[in-house]
Amino acid sequence: MTAAVDPVVLRQKYREERDKRLRPDGIDQYVRIADLFPEYLEDPYLPVVDREPRTDHATFAFMGGGFAGLLTAARLKEAGVAGVRIVDRAGDFGGTWYWNRYPGAQCDTASFVYMPLLEETGHMPTEKYAHAPEILEHCRRIATQYGLYDDALFHTEVTRVAWDEASGAWVIETSRGDRFTATYLGLGLGPLNVPKLPGIPGMGSFGGRSFHTSRWDYEYTGGDPSGSPMTRLRDKRVGIIGTGATAVQCIPHLAHACKDLYVFQRTPSSVDVRDNRPTDSAWFGQIATPGWQLSWMENFAANQSFAFPEEDLVMDGWTDIGRRIRYRLLEAGLSELTPETIQAALEQSDFEKMDGIRARVDAIVEDPATAQSLKAWYRQLCKRPCFHDEYLQAFNLPNVHLVDTDGRGVERITPSGVVVAGEEYEVDCIVYASGFEVGTDFTRRAGFEITGRDGHTMSDHWRDGMRTMHGVHVHGFPNLFFVQTFQGANLISNVPHNLYDAARTVAMVVSHASDVKAGRVEVTAEAEEAWMELVLSGQSLLQGRDCTPGYYNNEGHPDDPRIRFFAGYPAGPSAYFQYIEAWRSDGRFEGLQFTK
Ligand code: NDP
């Protein structure tokens, strides 16, 4: 840490920057696109193909064709379950990678631990951080290999899901007139599946082209997701609103394509080194021995869990967080560790890291005022850490203009541009890099209600917050499984690892039900309650009381009681993965009831 940085001064600066951004409306500052601007949700990539409504029966219906659906279906198929049907509102498999095709999109977590089923498919990621087209193609590869296209329903929105006690099956209705049944129901809708728009006055009045980053309009911009130049922007003035992980990846591409780029910033991201590189196939040949991908995922998780493994296979900005804390704790003396010394070590290592990230801005950005505005004044995990080697450099281009709103955000949109602090910036196109809904009610994000046994709805069951056992099973909802991150490992730095694990659970539970000839499987009320007590005894993922607002802390309102339910296994991700493996493997599936 530079000598000039005093922890007391820094804490005060962080508080001031946070306070500037706190607003009473929290998540309500964003508008629900489906209500106000449904055109922003249309699929720009594939046309909707006519098909007959389905009225048949599937063994397993899974809502969502992203990694969760692909992994679960693959494991079910491997277990010999036939009749797996995936339903998605997108036109193909891919989930977030179907929708997010903005220029420069790539995974922020190393491909070797992020891309699912590399061993099973034999695919070698071409780069340490693969770009979006390769990941989308990989999703298609998995779907093809496991025969998932045969029964998939795309461009199909589920409208209603209800348990039918008489037949012991789920009844699923959709926007395409389907009304089919399924013995089992899986839900993997993704943590960031509903784009949101900021509630900026005048948005509807804009006369130019505007779109959300998750629905990129290549027709307007030219170019394509693989990085071809967006030639149609050559004479265009483009404004981009938002500077989160998405904007950090697409701004360098826009910067090189358009006549003028105005970047409207409310809070700067922390942008650390990316250091991407092509995969050396000889090296990959050596590491890719049987079981390698799970070992890599476990090693990555252990480095994120502060389990302090000696080895760090991935060695990147994410594992650096764990390495630094480990170093600090060792330095403090492990025998001296108390909650206070641990907190002090965490803070100290964070101050150093963020100081380095701010110094990186000064080293790269030539204009001192611009550099100052691009510095993040909060702890690294208050917001999603970003990693990029061309983002900050883009601000040295003469056509790129940072419009820093000093925490206040864009004031207004007019028919011809964007207003900040009373000044209008005329633009031809507005790109909303404004993120996705987090923290809103499940049914709002899903777009449908789930009615379980005795007419009990998921909205009722989760009125005071999400309730599950292991993040997978819900009492009152037989034969239903969630495949997601919360209330399990909660490993946010590698979401697919959570899904990989839950998919394994689902396949093993379904196989067991078949072995014991059970028609229904459901978690008991007691087991769900006991799990919730355990989970709530730990820390919520969405907290960050001292943090600047963002979706990690419910936009500065961490006291919303429902937020504390976004928690995980208190002992951390690695401990969870060990616990659940033991739970699955002893064959008792404690807490679940298998009945005829
Ligand atoms: P974010 O929610 O992170 O960012 C939204 C941006 O919009 C913020 O910069 C926010 O500012 C800004 N904003 C909101 N309202 C206004 C306003 N009124 N005026 C000006 N700016 C405004 O969304 P992203 O799409 O960037 O990222 C979402 C998540 O998606 C990431 O956190 C990550 O988990 C995932 N992602 C993953 C990637 C990967 O792994 N490859 C790549 C990209 C995204 P403020 O910060 O002040 O709220």
Side-chain angles (χ1 to χ4, degrees):
M1 188 148 61
T2 53
V5 180
D6 174 338
V8 177
V9 174
L10 206 46
R11 276 188 216 116
Q12 178 61 22
K13 171 76 174 160
Y14 283 10
R15 268 196 296 274
E16 281 167 17
E17 292 292 330
R18 176 202 60 189
D19 291 349
K20 241 190 241 178
R21 293 169 170 86
L22 281 175
R23 26 189 300 174
D25 50 1
I27 57 172
D28 294 332
Q29 68 184 278
Y30 292 99
V31 300
R32 184 157 193 259
I33 303 187
D35 294 338
L36 290 177
F37 303 106
E39 64 278 13
Y40 279 90
L41 297 176
E42 282 166 16
D43 182 351
Y45 312 123
L46 286 174
V48 177
V49 178
D50 277 344
R51 67 168 174 82
E52 289 299 310
R54 303 292 283 268
T55 53
D56 54 352
H57 181 79
T59 307
F60 201 113
F62 198 96
M63 316 287 112
F67 284 0
L70 290 166
L71 277 159
T72 309
R75 293 301 179 228
L76 287 167
K77 290 263 179 160
E78 285 167 356
V81 178
V84 180
R85 172 175 299 164
I86 292 188
V87 185
D88 201 303
R89 61 160 65 104
D92 200 346
F93 288 103
T96 196
W97 298 103
Y98 177 86
W99 294 111
N100 287 283
R101 304 186 191 198
Y102 58 83
Q106 71 184 122
C107 63
D108 258 346
T109 300
S111 317
F112 312 112
V113 295
Y114 181 85
M115 290 175 72
L117 304 176
L118 290 176
E119 244 181 293
E120 289 80 348
T121 55
H123 178 69
M124 179 191 83
T126 60
E127 301 172 281
K128 184 165 182 183
Y129 304 93
H131 279 78
E134 179 174 341
I135 305 174
L136 181 57
E137 194 49 42
H138 186 60
C139 292
R140 295 184 181 128
R141 176 180 299 114
I142 295 169
T144 305
Q145 179 166 324
Y146 286 91
L148 305 180
Y149 276 104
D150 301 346
D151 201 18
L153 302 180
F154 292 124
H155 282 141
T156 300
E157 298 204 23
V158 174
T159 51
R160 190 171 165 269
V161 169
W163 174 253
D164 178 42
E165 187 63 33
S167 60
W170 288 95
V171 181
I172 296 131
E173 295 176 24
T174 78
S175 58
R176 304 292 294 270
D178 307 304
R179 191 174 194 279
F180 60 91
T181 55
T183 310
Y184 296 101
L185 181 71
L187 294 122
L189 303 172
L192 301 160
N193 63 327
V194 180
K196 63 179 164 47
L197 288 176
I200 303 172
M203 275 194 309
S205 73
F206 183 59
R209 180 72 187 114
S210 58
F211 53 86
H212 187 272
T213 45
S214 66
R215 304 287 189 277
W216 197 271
D217 185 355
Y218 283 105
E219 193 58 35
Y220 178 84
T221 64
D224 60 39
S226 70
S228 307
M230 294 179 281
T231 47
R232 292 186 193 150
L233 292 182
R234 207 175 288 134
D235 59 346
K236 297 284 190 292
R237 300 158 302 177
V238 176
I240 182 164
I241 297 181
T243 48
T246 297
V248 164
Q249 292 185 336
C250 68
I251 280 171
H253 293 260
L254 284 172
H256 288 286
C258 39
K259 179 164 161 256
D260 280 296
L261 177 65
Y262 295 91
V263 178
F264 296 99
Q265 172 180 270
R266 190 165 69 176
T267 310
S269 278
S270 73
V271 187
D272 203 354
V273 173
R274 166 79 302 163
D275 196 19
N276 197 12
R277 61 190 92 120
T279 308
D280 175 343
S281 54
W283 168 82
F284 188 76
Q286 280 168 8
I287 66 146
T289 53
W292 76 269
Q293 197 180 16
L294 182 58
S295 310
W296 272 64
M297 289 197 300
E298 284 174 347
N299 179 263
F300 185 76
N303 276 287
Q304 300 294 300
S305 304
F306 312 131
F308 305 146
E310 283 304 318
E311 201 176 15
D312 179 356
L313 293 167
V314 167
M315 281 289 266
D316 71 355
W318 289 108
T319 59
D320 174 60
I321 295 170
R323 276 200 310 276
R324 276 184 292 116
I325 292 167
R326 176 179 195 235
Y327 171 75
R328 274 282 159 206
L329 293 179
L330 288 174
E331 200 184 50
L334 287 176
S335 57
E336 305 295 316
L337 290 186
T338 62
E340 292 73 33
T341 54
I342 293 173
Q343 281 312 319
L346 292 177
E347 187 187 51
Q348 183 64 21
S349 77
D350 199 279
F351 281 165
E352 284 168 8
K353 182 72 208 178
M354 290 303 288
D355 196 38
I357 287 176
R358 288 187 288 268
R360 183 171 185 252
V361 181
D362 280 329
I364 294 172
V365 179
E366 288 156 12
D367 173 53
T370 306
Q372 194 56 24
S373 299
L374 285 166
K375 290 180 191 169
W377 297 102
Y378 45 80
R379 287 173 68 160
Q380 194 183 18
L381 292 179
C382 280
K383 278 189 177 282
R384 167 63 144 66
C386 296
F387 309 92
H388 213 285
D389 294 338
E390 285 121 50
Y391 173 71
L392 295 169
Q393 290 78 350
F395 292 92
N396 291 334
L397 296 171
N399 63 324
V400 178
H401 318 284
L402 179 68
V403 184
D404 182 43
T405 67
D406 196 22
R408 281 180 286 269
V410 167
E411 192 177 300
R412 213 157 21 95
I413 308 275
T414 67
S416 51
V418 178
V419 178
V420 171
E423 188 175 342
E424 180 175 18
Y425 299 83
E426 288 198 358
V427 292
D428 303 295
C429 172
I430 298 176
V431 178
Y432 289 103
S434 45
F436 302 85
E437 287 195 17
V438 177
T440 50
D441 286 339
F442 168 77
T443 34
R444 165 171 159 155
R445 276 175 290 121
F448 56 90
E449 180 61 274
I450 305 174
T451 307
R453 259 192 310 105
D454 308 322
H456 191 47
T457 63
M458 198 63 79
S459 300
D460 280 340
H461 195 66
W462 287 2
R463 185 163 306 282
D464 298 324
M466 179 182 175
R467 303 183 62 77
T468 68
M469 181 175 83
H470 303 159
V472 176
H473 319 276
V474 186
H475 179 64
F477 297 82
N479 294 6
L480 174 143
F481 309 96
F482 279 91
V483 178
Q484 51 87 48
T485 55
F486 296 130
Q487 299 182 4
N490 261 18
L491 180 62
I492 53 156
S493 54
N494 192 16
V495 169
H497 192 167
N498 306 272
L499 311 178
Y500 171 96
D501 189 80
R504 215 167 124 64
T505 297
V506 174
M508 286 179 75
V509 170
V510 168
S511 293
H512 184 72
S514 163
D515 291 347
V516 299
K517 308 224 170 338
R520 287 154 213 227
V521 51
E522 184 181 336
V523 59
T524 64
E526 297 73 31
E528 184 182 273
E529 182 56 31
W531 185 255
M532 291 313 301
E533 249 178 60
L534 176 71
V535 162
L536 295 178
S537 68
Q539 284 238 319
S540 165
L541 178 68
L542 299 184
Q543 267 179 352
R545 188 164 310 282
D546 302 328
C547 284
T548 188
Y551 78 83
Y552 275 18
N553 69 351
N554 196 36
E555 300 297 338
H557 293 263
D559 293 326
D560 182 326
R562 292 169 305 173
I563 295 313
R564 68 195 185 99
F565 288 77
F566 293 122
Y569 194 62
S574 285
Y576 175 77
F577 291 131
Q578 282 165 23
Y579 155 80
I580 199 72
E581 185 56 30
W583 179 87
R584 275 191 300 251
S585 308
D586 75 4
R588 289 186 299 132
F589 299 100
E590 207 176 332
L592 298 186
Q593 236 172 10
F594 294 83
T595 52
K596 292 290 166 206

